[in-house]
Amino acid sequence: MTTKHAVWFRWVAIAEAISWTGLLIGMLFKYVLSDNEIGVKIFGPIHGGIFIAYVLTVLVVRGPLRWSWPVTLAALAASVPPLFTWFFEIWAVRTGRIDGGRDTAVPSRTSVNSTAA
């Protein structure tokens, strides 16, 4: 069932973006506003763990969600810039790559028997 894969991906993608935000705020306090590094000490390991979970999640859900390699590589590349996993998740929902409410995913490419152009 692809619904559980889509829901899982969406949760991890959003969590990765939120952890990036926490780390960025921690870095702002450490390097700009004060020498307090508690934010980096807290959000650094959290973000690192969620980053690894995101990469593994992309590799696990790409098959059930029928993502092409370009879509998969875009999902992986989205993990590098801050908040791009959230942007990728929004794009994937809008283009039918993931949808938590449907039982079937839209393929990333047209198939032989498809009526799509």
Side-chain angles (χ1 to χ4, degrees):
M1 173 182 274
T2 59
T3 300
K4 68 179 178 181
H5 295 99
V7 170
W8 178 250
F9 174 79
R10 293 179 79 181
W11 276 100
V12 174
I14 292 168
E16 201 275 345
I18 291 170
S19 72
W20 239 129
T21 303
L23 183 57
L24 289 172
I25 292 169
M27 290 173 17
L28 175 69
F29 276 92
K30 180 178 179 180
Y31 296 112
V32 178
L33 301 178
S34 68
D35 277 344
N36 189 343
E37 59 185 54
I38 190 73
V40 174
K41 286 184 177 183
I42 291 171
F43 282 102
I46 290 172
H47 174 68
I50 296 174
F51 170 83
I52 291 169
Y54 176 82
V55 170
L56 293 175
T57 298
V58 167
L59 297 175
V60 168
V61 303
R62 77 167 299 273
L65 295 178
R66 295 187 274 171
W67 286 352
S68 64
W69 277 109
V71 171
T72 303
L73 293 175
L76 292 172
S79 67
V80 178
L83 305 176
F84 272 52
T85 56
W86 201 330
F87 300 141
F88 177 85
E89 182 268 338
I90 292 168
W91 172 82
V93 169
R94 288 185 181 167
T95 60
R97 296 324 192 271
I98 59 172
D99 184 83
R102 286 192 271 180
D103 288 332
T104 58
V106 175
S108 298
R109 56 196 145 141
T110 59
S111 62
V112 175
N113 295 327
S114 175
T115 57

